[in-house]
Structures are given as structure tokens and as C-alpha cells.
Amino acid sequence: MVKPGQIDVIKQGKRPPEEFSPDKLHNSIIATCLSVRTPEGQAQDIAKTVTLGVMNWCETHPEITSADIRRQAQRIMKTLHPDAAYLYKNYKTII
Amino acid sequence: MTPVTISSLATIIFAAIIHASFQLSVSVLTLLSGHSIGKKTAQRKIFRMSNSFVLGVAMTTLLLISSISYFLSLFIHHVTSAEQLVAAISSGMMFGLGIAIWTFYFRRQPGTSLWLPRNFAEYLNKRTKKTKNSIESFALGIISVIAEIIFIIAPIIAASLAIITLPNPFLQIISIAIYVIVSTLPLFVVIVLIGSGRSISNLQRWREDHKRFLQFASGGSLLILAAFLFVDRVIGVISYGGNLW
């Protein structure tokens, strides 16, 4: 996977910024796709497309927030798998 | 069956339905299933974990309703007019909680975020994600009941008040069992739906689409139960001859 330049993810509250991790995003997309019972191969393809899309978007933004990543990932995923995109968007608002 | 028995049974079933309409346990179970499926957990293990979660919820509900019934029976049998007093207090409590549910049970934002403080909701989120076996699921079930105790206490007190006025211990035990089963019914529905292959996102979408109705129904039902309890147990007790036993 292409490694992006130094992109800091600003965290909520007093937590220090951390470096953007494409692998973390990739894994979370796969987990979301599998949660909606997507076949594993398709989940891998979606995760790859979404991660690359988010990385492209990040190139013009040296500082981003977790919410930005989630929003961009959801926007790209929506065209590939609307169900997974819905769950990804609403993950933090289930409880 | 005497009118008191009939009204007690009706109160118990109605209170259990109100309890069942509360959403925290359903939210946590939905999330737990989602995480487990996402981690490629075997279907059988997901089923086992979900059942343990429901067992935790049922056990805590059972303990709560049994202990409150026990303490209420001690109190009511030793203090004159205590039943009217407890009924009046719980009516007032249910009235207040009914309004509170209408006002802030679901947050005004997309999704099904509940009234819980965000830190605690995040903790539950993380805890659910880390849950990997049946024992942890069982504990999660217990936590989800305790976290929502501020709302479920009202229907539990109403049901307890009705349970202790039932004529014999056998009927009381059956009523407690009915209460626990009815109040956990939505969790069984979630297990069946997920077990039959329904997508988590469909479940969540249904919950989000109907959250305002659920909120209105829960709050409204609590107000109705408050009014019924007040009429039946505070004013109506006089028509039973001033004593329910």
C-alpha cells in the first residue's frame, strides 16, 4: 500500500495528534463490510478503493480529523456499498 | 379472579411492555452482533454470545424486580397506608420519566444516540468491541441494564407493586417470569433476525426510522401507566375497602 507523507490526525479533547494510518482505515472498512455480510473478497476490494480514495483526498490536507476521514470514507463507500456506508457513518450513533 | 388480581396482571404486562420499549440493551446487542460478524466470528459463537448477553439482561432484571418486590412487601406490610404512598410516589415518578422520555430519550441528531452521557456511551462502544466470549457478553448484559436503571426503575416499581398484591406466591413467581420474558422479548427478536441472516444495517435503519415513534410510545405508555396506577392504587384502593389483601 502507498505510504502517505506525514499527515496528522487531530484527535478530540486533549489527546495528541497521531499519524494517519491507512492500514487502520483499511481494516475498519473490511470489518464494516463483513458486518453487513459482504463476501470477503468484495470487502477487500471496497476497502482498497476507499483507502486509496481517502489517501488521495488527504494529499491536499496536511491536518485532518477522525471525523474528516470517516466522512470521506463514507462518501466513497456509498457508491460501492450503500449498506456498509450507512453502518460506517452511524457506527458511533448506535448507542 | 378478583378485580385486584386482574388489574395487577394487566399492570405487570403493561409495565413489561414499557420496559421492553427501552433501547439501550437492543443498541448494545446490535453493536455486539455487528462487531462479532465483522471479526468473522463463527455464527454459533455469535449465537452463544448473544444468548449470554440476553441471559445477563434477564438475570439483572429478575434480581431487580425480585428485590424491589421483596422490599416493597416488607415496607407495605409494616406501615399503614404504605401502598397508597408507594403508588402515589411511583405514579409521580412515572409521570416525570414519561415527560423525560418524550424530551430527551433519543438525542436530536441522526442515528439512534440515546440520552447517555457521551463518555459512557463511548465506553460501552469500546467495551462491546472488546467483548470476545460469553462471560464478557453476560457482563455486558448486566451493565446495559444497570446503565438504563434510571428509566427502567419506574415500570419495575409499578410491576413490583402489582406483584405483591397477587393472592398467592405461585402467581407472584409466574408474574415475575412473565415480566422478565416480555421485557427481554425485543432482544430475542434481534437474535432471531441476525441469526436468520438479516443485515445489521437494515436493523439499525429500522430503528432509526422508527425512533420517534418508539420514544412517543414509551413516554406515552409511562404516562398512561402512571394515571392507571394513581386511579387504581391510590384512589381506587378505597373502593376495594381500603385494603388490597
Side-chain angles (χ1 to χ4, degrees):
Chain A
M1 190 168 288
V2 185
K3 286 282 172 199
Q6 180 72 37
I7 299 165
D8 284 333
V9 181
I10 312 288
K11 293 292 189 180
Q12 264 186 346
K14 289 176 181 171
R15 286 183 296 165
E18 67 180 48
E19 198 179 332
F20 171 60
S21 160
D23 291 340
K24 201 170 157 185
L25 176 64
H26 188 263
N27 291 341
S28 74
I29 306 279
I30 289 180
T32 309
C33 290
L34 293 177
S35 299
V36 291
R37 299 178 195 276
T38 311
E40 208 174 334
Q42 193 187 348
Q44 294 276 4
D45 288 346
I46 293 171
K48 198 174 166 187
T49 312
V50 173
T51 309
L52 286 173
V54 173
M55 281 163 67
N56 284 339
W57 179 83
C58 284
E59 278 174 7
T60 51
H61 301 79
E63 273 193 349
I64 52 174
T65 64
S66 308
D68 288 333
I69 298 174
R70 189 164 281 276
R71 215 170 12 249
Q72 289 308 317
Q74 190 261 337
R75 185 181 57 79
I76 301 162
M77 214 194 304
K78 206 172 178 178
T79 54
L80 304 167
H81 199 312
D83 259 7
Y86 172 80
L87 200 63
Y88 191 74
K89 183 186 168 196
N90 289 292
Y91 161 72
K92 286 205 168 178
T93 57
I94 290 180
I95 296 181
Chain B
M1 265 201 222
T2 64
V4 178
T5 309
I6 294 169
S7 94
S8 294
L9 289 174
T11 305
I12 292 161
I13 292 171
F14 192 47
I17 292 171
I18 295 172
H19 184 152
S21 70
F22 295 143
Q23 294 292 308
L24 183 59
S25 299
V26 176
S27 292
V28 176
L29 182 59
T30 308
L31 206 58
L32 178 67
S33 308
H35 282 310
S36 307
I37 299 169
K39 281 185 276 189
K40 294 187 274 182
T41 310
Q43 193 66 33
R44 188 177 288 197
K45 191 176 178 189
I46 295 173
F47 184 68
R48 226 175 24 236
M49 280 167 65
S50 305
N51 279 329
S52 298
F53 177 85
V54 177
L55 192 66
V57 170
M59 185 86 94
T60 315
T61 309
L62 178 71
L63 288 174
L64 274 174
I65 195 162
S66 308
S67 50
I68 291 174
S69 299
Y70 174 70
F71 286 116
L72 279 184
S73 71
L74 284 182
F75 178 63
I76 284 170
H77 283 106
H78 286 92
V79 181
T80 318
S81 299
E83 211 231 322
Q84 285 101 317
L85 184 70
V86 174
I89 292 169
S90 44
S91 296
M93 200 173 163
M94 278 189 280
F95 187 81
L97 285 174
I99 301 289
I101 285 175
W102 274 353
T103 317
F104 61 79
Y105 190 71
F106 282 110
R107 285 174 185 265
R108 290 173 203 281
Q109 64 182 62
T112 51
S113 297
L114 298 172
W115 56 275
L116 286 173
R118 284 300 83 194
N119 289 347
F120 190 67
E122 219 156 90
Y123 167 75
L124 274 179
N125 242 325
K126 282 182 188 159
R127 204 47 258 164
T128 310
K129 201 173 179 179
K130 284 179 185 166
T131 300
K132 287 184 181 71
N133 57 49
S134 299
I135 295 168
E136 287 172 348
S137 305
F138 181 81
L140 198 64
I142 294 174
I143 292 172
S144 77
V145 175
I146 293 170
E148 202 161 45
I149 206 161
I150 190 164
F151 284 112
I152 62 175
I153 195 74
I156 284 183
I157 290 178
S160 302
L161 204 58
I163 286 166
I164 58 172
T165 55
L166 287 170
N168 64 62
F170 177 71
L171 208 52
Q172 291 177 341
I173 291 168
I174 294 286
S175 302
I176 289 176
I178 289 173
Y179 185 92
V180 174
I181 290 167
V182 173
S183 67
T184 48
L185 219 51
L187 301 176
F188 286 113
V189 172
V190 171
I191 291 178
V192 168
L193 288 175
I194 289 168
S196 62
R198 195 66 67 95
S199 163
I200 301 289
S201 65
N202 287 344
L203 276 180
Q204 181 57 21
R205 203 169 269 145
W206 186 92
R207 292 184 60 227
E208 187 176 356
D209 291 344
H210 296 88
K211 70 175 183 182
R212 292 291 161 218
F213 171 71
L214 288 171
Q215 186 172 11
F216 176 75
S218 306
S221 302
L222 263 182
L223 295 183
I224 292 167
L225 187 59
F228 178 75
L229 204 70
F230 190 78
V231 171
D232 190 52
R233 298 291 151 115
V234 181
I235 303 169
V237 139
I238 298 153
S239 65
Y240 298 136
N243 194 352
L244 290 171
W245 292 276

